[in-house]
């Protein structure tokens, strides 16, 4: 979290803080915290914190781009698909209680991450005719991820109260805004640049813009003023390459819930080895990972 805050400050100040510098500052702060507490912290809490940027980017990052990415196939209807996904999530969350009791919180996280992977891969390969079905699968996958994670935190670390809940949420939001969304844009820009230069070199020379500097290095860009005045075949060729890379973005995003799935499976088997998931009893024994 310290590292994310440092990088966030750099973004606010419109300054690029070198990765080595930010990591070095974070390590110094972490060393000071360890010297004071003599503990590296609860391992389960660390695992949950690590997954939160992946979770937030899977949900909020993809949501932020949903209409734009879906426009590759659906055009003006893409915004309505986003509305449909949001409605489905709202309805499902009204029935979260019975679903959690049936699967257990960790089991629900495992199932949700698996469905999110399938949904994102489906979105990446589905033709326009069944894109809505793919979006619905994705909606089922991401619906319970954030809320169930907060539920696990509240049950396993009740002494932390609002502090632990807000810390987990903050890491998710910071991770998405500082790492997730910029990386999504970077990979999309690089994919378009590589395909355009290879497939349409003459068009590439015409629309290629100035390189942009960011926390992850230099990234290519298109000259939007030139792109806006393209007509006929050139406009269609550029649109085809851009749209293909937008679709590829969904497939690339599936790596995020895949990482989460590995972490959740680890927690699932840990609790299974202890007789199943149980909330922490403040008057009894701690059921979390020490």
């Amino acid at each position: 979290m310290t590292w994310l805050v440092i990088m966030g400050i750099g973004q606010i100040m419109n300054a690029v803080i070198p990765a080595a510098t930010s990591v070095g500052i974070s390590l110094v702060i972490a060393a000071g915290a360890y010297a004071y507490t003599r503990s590296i912290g609860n391992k389960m809490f660390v695992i949950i914190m690590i997954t939160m940027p992946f979770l937030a980017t899977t949900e909020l990052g993809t949501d932020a781009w949903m209409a734009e990415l879906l426009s590759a196939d659906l055009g003006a209807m893409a915004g309505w698909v986003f509305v449909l996904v949001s409605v489905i999530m709202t309805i499902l969350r009204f029935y979260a209680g019975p679903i959690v009791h049936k699967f257990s919180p960790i089991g629900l996280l495992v199932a949700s991450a698996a469905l999110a992977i399938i949904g994102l891969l489906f979105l990446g390969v589905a033709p326009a005719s069944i894109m809505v079905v793919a979006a619905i699968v994705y909606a089922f996958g991401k619906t319970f991820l954030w809320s169930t994670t907060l539920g696990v935190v509240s049950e396993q670390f009740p002494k932390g109260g609002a502090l632990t809940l807000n810390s987990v949420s903050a890491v998710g939001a910071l991770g998405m805004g500082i790492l997730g969304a910029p990386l999504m844009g970077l990979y999309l820009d690089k994919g378009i640049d590589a395909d355009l230069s290879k497939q349409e070199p003459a068009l590439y020379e015409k629309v290629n813009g100035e390189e942009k500097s960011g926390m992850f290095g230099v990234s290519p860009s298109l000259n939007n003023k030139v792109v806006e005045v393209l007509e006929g075949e050139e406009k269609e060729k550029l649109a085809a390459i851009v749209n293909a890379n937008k679709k590829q973005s969904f497939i690339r995003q599936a790596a995020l819930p895949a990482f989460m799935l590995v972490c959740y499976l680890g927690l699932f088997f840990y609790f299974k080895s202890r007789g199943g998931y149980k909330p922490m009893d403040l008057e009894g024994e701690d059921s979390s990972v020490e």
Side-chain angles (χ1 to χ4, degrees):
M1 184 173 179
T2 302
W3 180 71
L4 291 173
V5 170
I6 293 170
M7 299 305 290
I9 292 172
Q11 285 189 356
I12 293 172
M13 298 173 63
N14 294 319
V16 177
I17 300 178
T21 301
S22 63
V23 171
I25 296 173
S26 300
L27 288 175
V28 170
I29 295 174
Y34 177 77
Y36 178 75
T37 63
R38 296 295 179 181
S39 172
I40 63 172
N42 185 287
K43 296 182 179 63
M44 179 185 292
F45 191 70
V46 171
I47 291 172
I48 292 174
M49 293 283 266
I50 290 173
T51 62
M52 282 308 294
F54 295 84
L55 190 159
T57 306
T58 298
E59 181 177 340
L60 302 178
T62 305
D63 277 355
W65 281 31
M66 177 69 78
E68 180 182 353
L69 293 173
L70 287 176
S71 66
D73 282 323
L74 300 180
M77 289 296 294
W80 288 105
V81 176
F82 175 75
V83 172
L84 174 64
V85 167
S86 300
V87 170
I88 290 172
M89 291 176 61
T90 300
I91 295 172
L92 286 174
R93 283 173 176 171
F94 276 115
Y95 300 94
I99 295 173
V100 169
H101 287 302
K102 183 176 180 60
F103 287 96
S104 87
I106 304 299
L108 183 57
L109 287 175
V110 170
S112 296
L115 274 175
I117 295 169
I118 295 170
L120 287 168
L121 292 176
F122 196 3
L123 282 167
V125 300
S129 58
I130 58 172
M131 185 66 72
V132 174
V133 178
I136 291 173
V137 174
Y138 165 66
F140 273 86
K142 69 171 183 167
T143 292
F144 302 111
L145 287 172
W146 192 292
S147 55
T148 305
T149 298
L150 294 184
V152 170
V153 171
S154 66
E155 290 184 339
Q156 296 301 316
F157 315 105
K159 289 183 179 180
L163 178 62
T164 52
L165 290 172
N166 288 333
S167 297
V168 168
S169 296
V171 168
L174 287 170
M176 187 275 291
I178 296 170
L179 301 176
L183 281 172
M184 287 170 64
L186 175 65
Y187 283 117
L188 180 61
D189 289 342
K190 285 190 172 183
I192 293 172
D193 184 78
D195 289 349
L196 190 60
S197 63
K198 181 179 180 180
Q199 300 174 23
E200 302 291 340
L203 180 59
Y204 174 76
E205 292 297 326
K206 186 175 183 178
V207 302
N208 187 36
E210 295 182 359
E211 292 185 331
K212 301 177 292 185
S213 297
M215 64 181 291
F216 299 108
V218 177
S219 64
S221 69
L222 297 175
N223 188 327
N224 290 324
K225 291 183 179 179
V226 176
V227 171
E228 289 173 358
V229 299
L230 288 179
E231 296 180 350
E233 187 178 358
E234 286 185 332
K235 184 176 182 179
E236 292 177 359
K237 288 179 178 179
L238 178 60
I241 291 173
V242 171
N243 289 347
N245 278 275
K246 286 180 179 179
K247 294 275 286 184
Q248 185 65 31
S249 295
F250 285 123
I251 297 176
R252 189 162 48 242
Q253 285 289 97
L256 304 180
F259 172 80
M260 292 154 53
L261 179 60
V262 173
C263 295
Y264 296 152
L265 284 172
L267 293 176
F268 177 82
F269 288 116
Y270 165 75
F271 279 111
K272 187 175 181 180
S273 69
R274 296 179 58 136
Y277 179 88
K278 296 181 181 67
M280 177 182 173
D281 182 358
L282 286 175
E283 297 180 356
E285 203 172 301
D286 191 344
S287 65
S288 60
V289 181
E290 297 297 335

